[in-house]
Amino acid sequence: MTPVIEVRDLTKRFTKRLDLAGRIAHRLGANIHEEVVHAVDGVNLSINRGEVVGLVGESGCGKSTLGRMIAGILPQTEGSVLLDGKDTASLAGPESKAAALAVQMIFQDPFASLNPRLRVEQIIGEAPLVHGYTDRSGLSDYIDDVMLKVGLDPSLKQRYPHQFSGGQRQRIGIGRALAVKPRFLVCDEAIAALDVSIQAQVLNLFMDLREQFDLTYLFISHDLSVVEHIADRIVIMYLGRVVESANTEALFADPQHPYTRALLAEVPRLDQRKRNFTPIAGEIPSPLNPPSGCHFHPRCPHVMPVCKTEVPVLEKHQAFREVSCHLDTTDSHDINNHSAQSDSP
Amino acid sequence: MTILAVDSLKTHFFTRAGVVRAVDGVSFSLGQGEVMGLVGESGSGKSVTGFSILGLVDPPGRVVEGSMLFHGEDLVTMPTREIRALRGSRIAMIFQDPMMTLNPVLRIDTQMIEAILAHEKVSRKEALKRACDGLAQVGIPSPEQRLRNYPHQLSGGMRQRVAIAIAFLNNPDLVIADEPTTALDVTIQAQIVHVAQNLCRERGTALIWITHDLAVVAGLADHIAVMYAGRVVEAGQTDDVIDRPRHPYTVGLLGSVPSANRRGQRLTQIPGMTPNMLSLPEGCAFRDRCTHNDERCKESPEITTDSGGHAIRCFHPQYEKAPA
């Protein structure tokens, strides 16, 4: 089966160009260079139809940039995004348009992602009208239909976004995306800004819509418990690279990469009482000047000399599991011994 | 020993649109070295409760009723001068955004020395040394250099550490932490919780941790108070509240938290929206969203406490064990 979305060696670099004064100073020999941020660094990923893939990482790891490139709203520096096996960059005309419509995005901030001067019916109805999913006479019914699907009362369609609560606004954003009948949704921290009880409502909506419309999701989040709940497969990113990818159950039962282990250990859980929080040291390094070799080595408890020089490759360990680490991570005995040694003072 | 005893505190905001009863009769007490989790959704009044204790409620808001005894002295009637002396020395606060604590145009050392000299007569040199030790205690590497930095030169997690260091500078008896980790990443959140937890244990400081995240307080707090629409609806030992919640709102809230045991299933959701504080329903404020709503709920339920100290404000207490 061809995956719905496949990403090959996708890379995004943001370059801060030197201004005139900087260029002159550079000419004169000052130690000023263009700053390059490797936001996404050679990511490979494929997502099958009907699958929900959770993309997890801390801020600055490039997860949103990756999501935006897949959604086609940010051009990649290198690599390619394939929709149904076809490179989206090579498509032209109506095919390109269809590809753009097939992948839609839902944003984090339901306050910033809706135009405050448009009524709900304009926000939801604009795209389907332009792209011919409906005509003017059927537009009103079409909008009602979309609003009902996402759990909004169609009688409110004359209202403006500010008249809605955060959860309702997020539903408007979801309705806007669904109005063009996409097959693939990129949800970028789609529930992070909502209250706990409202989060559950929207998460349930996502699961209902998936069944109803046979949708495929890339669910970007920093919250592992949310991703654990909804995703079939989880991809962990660190500083622009994928460090581990596995089925949700396998990943939570037996995380392989030291970073994944650290992340899982630090997720606060309801069933843990009076725990001692034992954090991993350090912070996520600046992507302007990433560490050599394995990006995680300055924070890794199992660091070896080779980690500082060589970039580990993302290797397939078992079916559906890929890890990028120099440790022999298939042998979990090794890592356990290792941590036992480093823990004892 | 009880450090803080809050009794039927009411903080109301007198706006043009009407009176907002942000805090409407909140009572709790806190002993030395105890950690209390104050949990609620946005608009539940959890932050305003924290601000009221420190006397930081600005007009049109006002503490209209109740008492807050801090070491036996009432903070409500205390003259402003005395509250100023307490604030930052005996009671300190950590905000969600560390830039609410930090002045962006002053160096870290200036701000920390200022915080010490405002409450104590020590030499600048002595103050600088204490500032340096303070930074080291919250796990900031090379504190001497960091002291000479401006806040914008630090990362978000680092700034929050500085804010914590400042809060603990004068060895307070009580620290109020208002969602200090909400804006931070998971690994950094764990570091911040770790730092605050350790400092409180070492010094016997009482801590009020205000948050919307039940999972964080479950691992941190001795007891938990759950707020809804300005009132405490359930309070008790952490184990009681999390494992045996009795108020329908707490039950719903715990059911909303995604967890491993119910992967892929629908979450039990609380219907409806967080309430508008200007037009609360009569009686129990949770009535509109509650599945046990009946005629009795049109009256306001009183808070009742069982022998184990587990208090709820509901006519229809739940006995079922919460889905873990």
Side-chain angles (χ1 to χ4, degrees):
Chain A
M1 194 169 70
T2 329
V4 179
I5 285 281
E6 197 180 347
V7 159
R8 284 189 193 151
D9 290 320
L10 202 60
T11 298
K12 181 72 192 177
R13 287 189 292 266
F14 294 101
T15 311
K16 187 185 153 201
R17 302 234 171 268
L18 290 177
D19 58 5
L20 182 66
R23 285 202 300 273
I24 293 170
H26 181 66
R27 225 13 109 68
L28 295 173
N31 191 21
I32 300 176
H33 298 281
E34 285 188 346
E35 290 182 333
V36 180
V37 176
H38 289 259
V40 174
D41 194 1
V43 168
N44 290 295
L45 183 67
S46 68
I47 301 171
N48 291 321
R49 184 170 160 183
E51 212 180 7
V52 178
V53 174
L55 184 60
V56 180
E58 295 181 275
S59 46
C61 74
K63 57 188 191 301
S64 289
T65 308
L66 179 61
R68 278 161 190 263
M69 284 193 287
I70 291 174
I73 59 176
L74 196 67
Q76 64 266 35
T77 315
E78 276 163 33
S80 50
V81 179
L82 284 75
L83 179 74
D84 296 322
K86 287 182 204 155
D87 191 339
T88 49
S90 69
L91 299 175
E95 270 196 319
S96 158
K97 210 176 197 178
L101 290 173
V103 184
Q104 289 295 315
M105 188 153 180
I106 290 158
F107 299 91
Q108 168 171 11
D109 190 344
F111 294 79
S113 60
L114 302 176
N115 187 333
R117 294 172 181 233
L118 294 186
R119 296 177 193 275
V120 174
E121 58 178 357
Q122 292 168 301
I123 292 174
I124 295 178
E126 190 178 27
L129 189 65
V130 169
H131 293 289
Y133 288 92
T134 178
D135 52 21
R136 286 226 173 260
S137 56
L139 182 62
S140 181
D141 289 339
Y142 191 89
I143 295 167
D144 289 359
D145 186 42
V146 171
M147 287 180 78
L148 282 174
K149 278 177 195 160
V150 295
L152 286 169
D153 181 356
S155 65
L156 306 177
K157 66 181 173 185
Q158 295 284 340
R159 294 201 182 176
Y160 289 98
H162 74 263
Q163 293 170 296
F164 292 90
S165 69
Q168 285 176 312
R169 261 185 265 207
Q170 200 56 288
R171 287 174 193 266
I172 298 172
I174 297 169
R176 175 177 61 183
L178 286 182
V180 293
K181 304 202 160 72
R183 281 176 293 146
F184 187 87
L185 282 184
V186 178
C187 311
D188 187 3
E189 302 270 12
I191 62 164
L194 307 175
D195 266 319
V196 185
S197 67
I198 310 298
Q199 276 190 1
Q201 292 176 0
V202 177
L203 214 50
N204 282 344
L205 176 66
F206 274 125
M207 296 202 279
D208 293 345
L209 293 173
R210 174 198 185 187
E211 273 177 33
Q212 232 177 318
F213 301 105
D214 187 25
L215 290 168
T216 309
Y217 292 135
L218 177 68
F219 211 91
I220 301 171
S221 180
H222 68 280
D223 188 340
L224 268 164
S225 56
V226 168
V227 170
E228 181 182 12
H229 189 81
I230 194 170
D232 304 315
R233 190 153 60 88
I234 293 182
V235 175
I236 311 260
M237 274 183 83
Y238 188 76
L239 226 60
R241 293 180 190 154
V242 173
V243 296
E244 183 162 1
S245 145
N247 279 345
T248 306
E249 273 158 52
L251 186 96
F252 277 85
D254 184 23
Q256 298 285 319
H257 195 282
Y259 179 62
T260 316
R261 286 168 179 241
L263 263 189
L264 291 190
E266 273 155 37
V267 179
R269 289 189 178 279
L270 283 175
D271 45 14
Q272 286 170 322
R273 295 300 139 69
K274 291 308 276 169
R275 61 181 286 204
N276 283 304
F277 287 87
T278 43
I280 40 171
E283 300 189 14
I284 190 161
S286 161
L288 268 177
N289 186 16
S292 60
C294 170
H295 284 341
F296 189 59
H297 85 252
R299 300 172 79 184
C300 184
H302 312 289
V303 60
M304 302 178 291
V306 61
C307 303
K308 292 177 187 165
T309 51
E310 272 178 54
V311 180
V313 206
L314 194 65
E315 277 177 57
K316 208 169 192 119
H317 277 274
Q318 300 129 25
F320 300 114
R321 188 193 275 277
E322 291 174 321
V323 187
S324 116
C325 186
H326 287 301
L327 282 171
D328 186 14
T329 34
T330 41
D331 180 14
S332 45
H333 271 295
D334 186 27
I335 200 169
N336 287 340
N337 290 340
H338 216 106
S339 57
Q341 283 164 13
S342 58
D343 284 350
S344 56
Chain B
M1 191 182 77
T2 306
I3 284 192
L4 179 75
V6 175
D7 187 33
S8 48
L9 173 73
K10 290 189 179 178
T11 306
H12 294 179
F13 288 78
F14 300 89
T15 65
R16 277 194 197 176
V19 179
V20 175
R21 295 178 174 83
V23 178
D24 201 19
V26 166
S27 306
F28 59 85
S29 68
L30 199 62
Q32 190 180 4
E34 272 183 346
V35 180
M36 184 178 92
L38 196 55
V39 182
E41 296 185 278
S42 46
S44 62
K46 56 190 194 304
S47 292
V48 176
T49 305
F51 286 143
S52 302
I53 296 168
L54 274 174
L56 292 177
V57 179
D58 288 326
R62 187 152 55 83
V63 177
V64 291
E65 228 185 282
S67 65
M68 296 180 285
L69 299 180
F70 180 69
H71 287 300
E73 287 181 77
D74 194 348
L75 295 171
V76 178
T77 54
M78 190 180 276
T80 321
R81 264 187 58 191
E82 286 178 39
I83 292 189
R84 281 196 68 159
L86 282 182
R87 222 185 270 149
S89 65
R90 312 283 300 283
I91 310 176
M93 187 143 184
I94 306 165
F95 297 93
Q96 175 174 353
D97 180 1
M99 289 314 282
M100 270 178 86
T101 306
L102 300 173
N103 185 332
V105 297
L106 294 180
R107 286 193 336 205
I108 304 292
D109 54 357
T110 321
Q111 305 192 37
M112 292 187 83
I113 290 170
E114 187 184 17
I116 297 171
L117 295 183
H119 296 286
E120 254 181 279
K121 275 203 160 133
V122 291
S123 69
R124 274 191 82 80
K125 215 172 151 192
E126 167 75 23
L128 187 66
K129 192 179 169 300
R130 265 176 52 187
C132 192
D133 293 345
L135 286 189
Q137 270 166 352
V138 293
I140 290 184
S142 51
E144 295 89 353
Q145 283 160 35
R146 287 303 183 189
L147 275 173
R148 286 193 291 278
N149 281 155
Y150 287 91
H152 75 267
Q153 293 170 296
L154 308 176
S155 68
M158 206 67 108
R159 280 182 210 157
Q160 195 59 281
R161 281 167 196 265
V162 174
I164 292 176
I166 291 177
F168 279 91
L169 262 185
N170 293 308
N171 268 322
D173 301 325
L174 171 65
V175 170
I176 300 167
D178 186 8
E179 307 231 17
T181 59
T182 310
L184 303 171
D185 281 314
V186 190
T187 54
I188 310 297
Q189 166 173 301
Q191 292 172 358
I192 296 293
V193 174
H194 174 73
V195 162
Q197 190 181 35
N198 274 358
L199 282 172
C200 285
R201 276 184 192 167
E202 277 168 25
R203 306 183 183 190
T205 310
L207 179 67
I208 299 179
W209 193 273
I210 300 172
T211 182
H212 65 275
D213 191 342
L214 275 163
V216 172
V217 285
L220 176 71
D222 298 304
H223 50 107
I224 290 180
V226 181
M227 283 187 77
Y228 187 81
R231 290 180 173 172
V232 174
V233 293
E234 177 153 9
Q237 300 297 320
T238 302
D239 290 347
D240 285 343
V241 175
I242 303 277
D243 294 336
R244 295 173 286 280
R246 299 189 62 198
H247 195 284
Y249 176 64
T250 320
V251 175
L253 208 54
L254 285 163
S256 307
V257 179
S259 91
N261 313 352
R262 292 172 297 148
R263 178 175 312 137
Q265 299 167 27
R266 289 179 62 86
L267 295 163
T268 37
Q269 60 186 42
I270 305 175
M273 293 178 268
T274 39
N276 178 353
M277 296 299 287
L278 274 169
S279 54
L280 285 178
E282 285 283 303
C284 174
F286 186 58
R287 187 155 70 90
D288 291 351
R289 302 174 74 185
C290 185
T291 46
H292 306 277
N293 180 14
D294 65 10
E295 278 301 306
R296 272 177 85 193
C297 301
K298 288 185 179 162
E299 280 169 46
S300 195
E302 288 302 309
I303 198 147
T304 48
T305 311
D306 70 10
S307 53
H310 190 169
I312 50 158
R313 189 189 283 276
C314 184
F315 292 120
H316 306 285
Q318 310 294 300
Y319 289 93
E320 64 205 294
K321 195 169 156 45

PDB file of all heavy atoms in Angstrom, chain A residues 245-258:
ATOM      1  N   SER A 245      11.098   6.056  16.562  1.00  0.00           N
ATOM      2  CA  SER A 245       9.761   5.956  16.010  1.00  0.00           C
ATOM      3  C   SER A 245       9.281   4.542  16.258  1.00  0.00           C
ATOM      4  O   SER A 245       9.992   3.585  15.961  1.00  0.00           O
ATOM      5  CB  SER A 245       9.819   6.288  14.514  1.00  0.00           C
ATOM      6  OG  SER A 245       8.901   5.520  13.801  1.00  0.00           O
ATOM      7  N   ALA A 246       8.101   4.403  16.856  1.00  0.00           N
ATOM      8  CA  ALA A 246       7.621   3.062  17.183  1.00  0.00           C
ATOM      9  C   ALA A 246       6.117   3.096  17.391  1.00  0.00           C
ATOM     10  O   ALA A 246       5.525   4.170  17.566  1.00  0.00           O
ATOM     11  CB  ALA A 246       8.295   2.529  18.445  1.00  0.00           C
ATOM     12  N   ASN A 247       5.511   1.912  17.401  1.00  0.00           N
ATOM     13  CA  ASN A 247       4.107   1.810  17.761  1.00  0.00           C
ATOM     14  C   ASN A 247       3.918   2.331  19.171  1.00  0.00           C
ATOM     15  O   ASN A 247       4.784   2.143  20.029  1.00  0.00           O
ATOM     16  CB  ASN A 247       3.655   0.352  17.719  1.00  0.00           C
ATOM     17  CG  ASN A 247       3.343  -0.079  16.314  1.00  0.00           C
ATOM     18  OD1 ASN A 247       3.201   0.764  15.426  1.00  0.00           O
ATOM     19  ND2 ASN A 247       3.260  -1.368  16.105  1.00  0.00           N
ATOM     20  N   THR A 248       2.768   2.945  19.411  1.00  0.00           N
ATOM     21  CA  THR A 248       2.545   3.604  20.700  1.00  0.00           C
ATOM     22  C   THR A 248       2.776   2.649  21.871  1.00  0.00           C
ATOM     23  O   THR A 248       3.498   2.979  22.817  1.00  0.00           O
ATOM     24  CB  THR A 248       1.116   4.146  20.758  1.00  0.00           C
ATOM     25  OG1 THR A 248       0.914   4.969  19.613  1.00  0.00           O
ATOM     26  CG2 THR A 248       0.893   4.960  22.001  1.00  0.00           C
ATOM     27  N   GLU A 249       2.182   1.452  21.777  1.00  0.00           N
ATOM     28  CA  GLU A 249       2.320   0.536  22.907  1.00  0.00           C
ATOM     29  C   GLU A 249       3.760   0.140  23.137  1.00  0.00           C
ATOM     30  O   GLU A 249       4.253   0.137  24.261  1.00  0.00           O
ATOM     31  CB  GLU A 249       1.465  -0.708  22.672  1.00  0.00           C
ATOM     32  CG  GLU A 249       0.051  -0.508  23.155  1.00  0.00           C
ATOM     33  CD  GLU A 249      -0.916  -1.456  22.495  1.00  0.00           C
ATOM     34  OE1 GLU A 249      -0.643  -2.673  22.511  1.00  0.00           O
ATOM     35  OE2 GLU A 249      -1.927  -0.975  21.960  1.00  0.00           O
ATOM     36  N   ALA A 250       4.450  -0.189  22.034  1.00  0.00           N
ATOM     37  CA  ALA A 250       5.843  -0.606  22.146  1.00  0.00           C
ATOM     38  C   ALA A 250       6.693   0.518  22.717  1.00  0.00           C
ATOM     39  O   ALA A 250       7.557   0.302  23.561  1.00  0.00           O
ATOM     40  CB  ALA A 250       6.365  -1.021  20.775  1.00  0.00           C
ATOM     41  N   LEU A 251       6.417   1.733  22.265  1.00  0.00           N
ATOM     42  CA  LEU A 251       7.239   2.858  22.714  1.00  0.00           C
ATOM     43  C   LEU A 251       7.077   3.095  24.212  1.00  0.00           C
ATOM     44  O   LEU A 251       8.058   3.316  24.922  1.00  0.00           O
ATOM     45  CB  LEU A 251       6.848   4.124  21.955  1.00  0.00           C
ATOM     46  CG  LEU A 251       7.760   5.306  22.263  1.00  0.00           C
ATOM     47  CD1 LEU A 251       8.834   5.421  21.210  1.00  0.00           C
ATOM     48  CD2 LEU A 251       6.995   6.603  22.353  1.00  0.00           C
ATOM     49  N   PHE A 252       5.832   3.019  24.684  1.00  0.00           N
ATOM     50  CA  PHE A 252       5.635   3.277  26.103  1.00  0.00           C
ATOM     51  C   PHE A 252       6.082   2.100  26.965  1.00  0.00           C
ATOM     52  O   PHE A 252       6.532   2.288  28.091  1.00  0.00           O
ATOM     53  CB  PHE A 252       4.163   3.627  26.387  1.00  0.00           C
ATOM     54  CG  PHE A 252       3.862   5.066  26.138  1.00  0.00           C
ATOM     55  CD1 PHE A 252       3.533   5.507  24.867  1.00  0.00           C
ATOM     56  CD2 PHE A 252       3.957   5.996  27.152  1.00  0.00           C
ATOM     57  CE1 PHE A 252       3.288   6.843  24.618  1.00  0.00           C
ATOM     58  CE2 PHE A 252       3.712   7.335  26.926  1.00  0.00           C
ATOM     59  CZ  PHE A 252       3.374   7.759  25.643  1.00  0.00           C
ATOM     60  N   ALA A 253       5.944   0.903  26.421  1.00  0.00           N
ATOM     61  CA  ALA A 253       6.346  -0.264  27.200  1.00  0.00           C
ATOM     62  C   ALA A 253       7.869  -0.361  27.283  1.00  0.00           C
ATOM     63  O   ALA A 253       8.421  -0.729  28.320  1.00  0.00           O
ATOM     64  CB  ALA A 253       5.779  -1.521  26.563  1.00  0.00           C
ATOM     65  N   ASP A 254       8.529  -0.024  26.211  1.00  0.00           N
ATOM     66  CA  ASP A 254       9.965  -0.285  26.163  1.00  0.00           C
ATOM     67  C   ASP A 254      10.672   0.774  25.308  1.00  0.00           C
ATOM     68  O   ASP A 254      11.081   0.500  24.187  1.00  0.00           O
ATOM     69  CB  ASP A 254      10.172  -1.689  25.565  1.00  0.00           C
ATOM     70  CG  ASP A 254      11.640  -2.067  25.565  1.00  0.00           C
ATOM     71  OD1 ASP A 254      12.399  -1.501  26.363  1.00  0.00           O
ATOM     72  OD2 ASP A 254      12.005  -2.919  24.742  1.00  0.00           O
ATOM     73  N   PRO A 255      10.800   1.991  25.837  1.00  0.00           N
ATOM     74  CA  PRO A 255      11.484   3.025  25.065  1.00  0.00           C
ATOM     75  C   PRO A 255      12.962   2.684  24.903  1.00  0.00           C
ATOM     76  O   PRO A 255      13.577   2.174  25.846  1.00  0.00           O
ATOM     77  CB  PRO A 255      11.284   4.282  25.909  1.00  0.00           C
ATOM     78  CG  PRO A 255      11.045   3.790  27.289  1.00  0.00           C
ATOM     79  CD  PRO A 255      10.382   2.462  27.153  1.00  0.00           C
ATOM     80  N   GLN A 256      13.520   2.922  23.733  1.00  0.00           N
ATOM     81  CA  GLN A 256      14.899   2.520  23.468  1.00  0.00           C
ATOM     82  C   GLN A 256      15.886   3.680  23.545  1.00  0.00           C
ATOM     83  O   GLN A 256      16.944   3.557  24.139  1.00  0.00           O
ATOM     84  CB  GLN A 256      14.982   1.880  22.075  1.00  0.00           C
ATOM     85  CG  GLN A 256      14.158   0.621  21.953  1.00  0.00           C
ATOM     86  CD  GLN A 256      14.807  -0.558  22.646  1.00  0.00           C
ATOM     87  OE1 GLN A 256      16.008  -0.732  22.569  1.00  0.00           O
ATOM     88  NE2 GLN A 256      14.010  -1.343  23.332  1.00  0.00           N
ATOM     89  N   HIS A 257      15.547   4.771  22.924  1.00  0.00           N
ATOM     90  CA  HIS A 257      16.493   5.881  22.886  1.00  0.00           C
ATOM     91  C   HIS A 257      16.544   6.567  24.257  1.00  0.00           C
ATOM     92  O   HIS A 257      15.509   6.753  24.893  1.00  0.00           O
ATOM     93  CB  HIS A 257      16.050   6.880  21.821  1.00  0.00           C
ATOM     94  CG  HIS A 257      17.123   7.861  21.444  1.00  0.00           C
ATOM     95  ND1 HIS A 257      17.423   8.941  22.233  1.00  0.00           N
ATOM     96  CD2 HIS A 257      17.969   7.902  20.402  1.00  0.00           C
ATOM     97  CE1 HIS A 257      18.411   9.620  21.653  1.00  0.00           C
ATOM     98  NE2 HIS A 257      18.760   9.008  20.545  1.00  0.00           N
ATOM     99  N   PRO A 258      17.742   6.939  24.717  1.00  0.00           N
ATOM    100  CA  PRO A 258      17.843   7.576  26.040  1.00  0.00           C
ATOM    101  C   PRO A 258      16.966   8.826  26.171  1.00  0.00           C
ATOM    102  O   PRO A 258      16.421   9.097  27.249  1.00  0.00           O
ATOM    103  CB  PRO A 258      19.326   7.957  26.136  1.00  0.00           C
ATOM    104  CG  PRO A 258      20.022   7.073  25.182  1.00  0.00           C
ATOM    105  CD  PRO A 258      19.051   6.721  24.101  1.00  0.00           C
TER     106      PRO A 258
END
